[in-house]
Each structure stands twice: as C-alpha cells, then as structure tokens.
Amino acid sequence: MAKLNDNAVTIVKRYPNAAFHRFANFIKYRLIGSEIDKGLLFKVIMYIVLINVAFIYIKPILYMVTTMLKDAQNILDPTVIWVPKSLFYGHLQEASRMLNYIKSFLISVSLSSGVSVLQVFSCAVAGYAFARLEFPFKKFWVVMLLFTFIMPPQVIILPTIMLFKGFGWLDTVWPMIVPAIFGHGLKGALFVIIYRSFYSTLPKELDEAARIDGAGAIRLFFRVMFPLSKSAIVVVVLFSFVWNWNDFYLPSLFMFTAHNVPLSITLARLAGELSLAAGAGEMTVYEEAIKMAAAFLIIFPLLVVYFFAQRWFIEGVERTGLVE
C-alpha cells in the first residue's frame, strides 16, 4: 500500500499537470462533446436559436389574444401592454357577428375540404403518370408542369375570369372546385410535383410484380401505388386545406359580389367596415381589438387541425422529401 502511494506521488511529481489536463479534457468533452452536435455548448446555442425563432412566430398570436381580451379601460391604459387586468369577451362576440361566422365558417370548411380531397386524387394520378408511365412528349410536359408551378397566377387571371364568366360561374365556388378535379387549382402543380417525387422513389419491382399478376396501369395505381402514398397524401391534404382556407386572392376575384363567401372575404369586408366607421369617428377605440378577435376566429380552426395532425404532417414532409 505504501509502495502504491509512493508511486502515485512520484507520478504527480513527474507529471504535475496531469490532473489539470484530465480536468480540462473533461470540461472540453462536456462542453463540445465527441462530436460537434453532442456537446452542451451546441445544445445551448441551438435552444437559444429555437426559442428566438419560436418567439418570432408566437409573439403575433400572443399579441392577438391579449388585445382581443382587453376592454375599453385596458385599451386606454398605457401601462397595460401584454396582460390585461380583466378579461373581456365582447370583442369575440362582435367579431363573430360581423363575420357572420357560422355561415362563413361552413362555407370555408366545405370549400377547403372539397378542393383538398379532389386535389389528393387528381394530383396523385398526374404525379403517378409523370413518375411511372411513358407517354409521348413526356419531358416537354414535365417542363410545362414546372412552368405552371413557377408562373405567377396574375399572368392568366384575366382570361381565367373571362372563361368562368362565359360559363356563368362567377360569384360561385365552381372556379375553385372545377380546376381541382383536373389536378390544378391553388398550388396544384406543387402537389403533382410532390406525388411525382414520391412515386419516383418507389422500386420498379412493384410495377413488374403487379404486371406479372396481370394488373394494368389503372389497377396498379389504385391497388398498389396510391395506398403506399399515405405520407404524401397527408402533406397534400394539409397544405391544400390550409392554403385554400387562407386564400383571399382567388375568392376575391371570383366571388367579389357574392353574398355567401368564405371567412377570408368576410374578414376583408369587416376591415372595410371598421375603416369606414373609423373615418366617421365611430368605434375607434375597439377597432384593433375587433380585428384581432376576427383574425383569431379565423386561424383558431387551423391551430386545432395542426395540433391533432402535426405528427403525421411532419412525418409526411420527411418521407416525401419536401424539405430537400
């Protein structure tokens, strides 16, 4: 025992910095880690970045909620910025009345759901054809698909309005519904590209095995390909639903004089009414609170949808390679 102690003392005397080096290596390993993304320092920086980015997106929602819950006393009190001293729900009721919320909500749900369901099937068929089938001038039509994706909708909006006017479809939902049947509609080209990218990654052996069993292209799509594309379907459904729900441009052009309109149009009309009232000297105190309440009523269904579907949505984005 005494010999071991003597050896330890000899080692310490011979290597006086050994303990310091071991301590320094320990700290370095803990802070940096064996890899750059394993250390404590990297995690701290990553969490700081994520918290700041999350705050950028959450701050408008927090401001919206706190503003719509303020009564006149809290609105006029300069010391009340974020947390109101008392909760007032009258702005939500007034915004719901001005939006004609129940009717507009049902129209928005019907329109967004109908377009998303149609785009799921029609864009899947088009994406499958571009990815797995051979047909004349295929490369040319792929280029046209990409051109459709990058072309601004404002370029063709005037002839589109004239076309639907000739059909007598203005002030109806048909200008948004009918194009979705044929794989077009809002962001339809993007959804075709998503399906095409997904079907291109599937092994060719699936086609060969199905054709050996006597399956044609249509049966192969409905029995094999489409059931395998659940991840792409989730992405297309959610993207299509959210974008059609929030879209103001197309409904404002095709339904500008209609009485029954989706929430995006009623929100614009509400803002116009409040602006006129403010110009006449009315409701100037409550204008911002009512706008915030109306915006909250419109985005709240989307928050509920994302809350329940976020796991499938994230998995779908990863599997379809959309982030790439």
Side-chain angles (χ1 to χ4, degrees), residues 160 164 169-180 185 250 254-255:
T160 304
F164 290 135
W169 288 352
L170 293 183
D171 294 335
T172 67
V173 298
W174 294 116
M176 281 76 73
I177 295 292
V178 173
L250 294 180
F254 298 132
M255 306 177 66

Side-chain angles (χ1 to χ4, degrees), residues 159-193:
T160 304
I161 293 176
M162 296 177 64
L163 175 65
F164 290 135
K165 183 179 180 181
F167 291 154
W169 288 352
L170 293 183
D171 294 335
T172 67
V173 298
W174 294 116
M176 281 76 73
I177 295 292
V178 173
I181 299 176
F182 302 98
H184 193 57
L186 184 63
K187 305 293 184 181
L190 174 61
F191 301 144
V192 174
I193 293 173

Side-chain angles (χ1 to χ4, degrees), residues 52-129:
N52 281 275
V53 172
F55 180 74
I56 293 174
Y57 289 96
I58 294 176
K59 181 181 178 181
I61 299 177
L62 295 177
Y63 178 78
M64 180 192 307
V65 174
T66 56
T67 302
M68 74 179 186
L69 294 177
K70 293 179 182 178
D71 56 9
Q73 183 178 359
N74 286 278
I75 293 174
L76 297 175
D77 190 350
T79 61
V80 178
I81 300 177
W82 286 103
V83 182
K85 297 179 180 178
S86 59
L87 300 180
F88 179 68
Y89 301 98
H91 301 312
L92 285 170
Q93 298 175 357
E94 181 65 18
S96 177
R97 183 191 66 80
M98 296 183 70
L99 289 172
N100 196 5
Y101 187 71
I102 300 299
K103 180 184 291 185
S104 299
F105 173 80
L106 294 177
I107 294 174
S108 292
V109 170
S110 302
L111 178 61
S112 302
S113 301
V115 172
S116 61
V117 170
L118 291 173
Q119 285 183 328
V120 162
F121 290 99
S122 58
C123 295
V125 172
Y128 167 73

Side-chain angles (χ1 to χ4, degrees), residues 248-267:
F248 170 77
Y249 182 70
L250 294 180
S252 66
L253 294 174
F254 298 132
M255 306 177 66
F256 52 92
T257 58
H259 179 67
N260 298 322
V261 293
L263 286 172
S264 59
I265 304 299
T266 57
L267 179 62

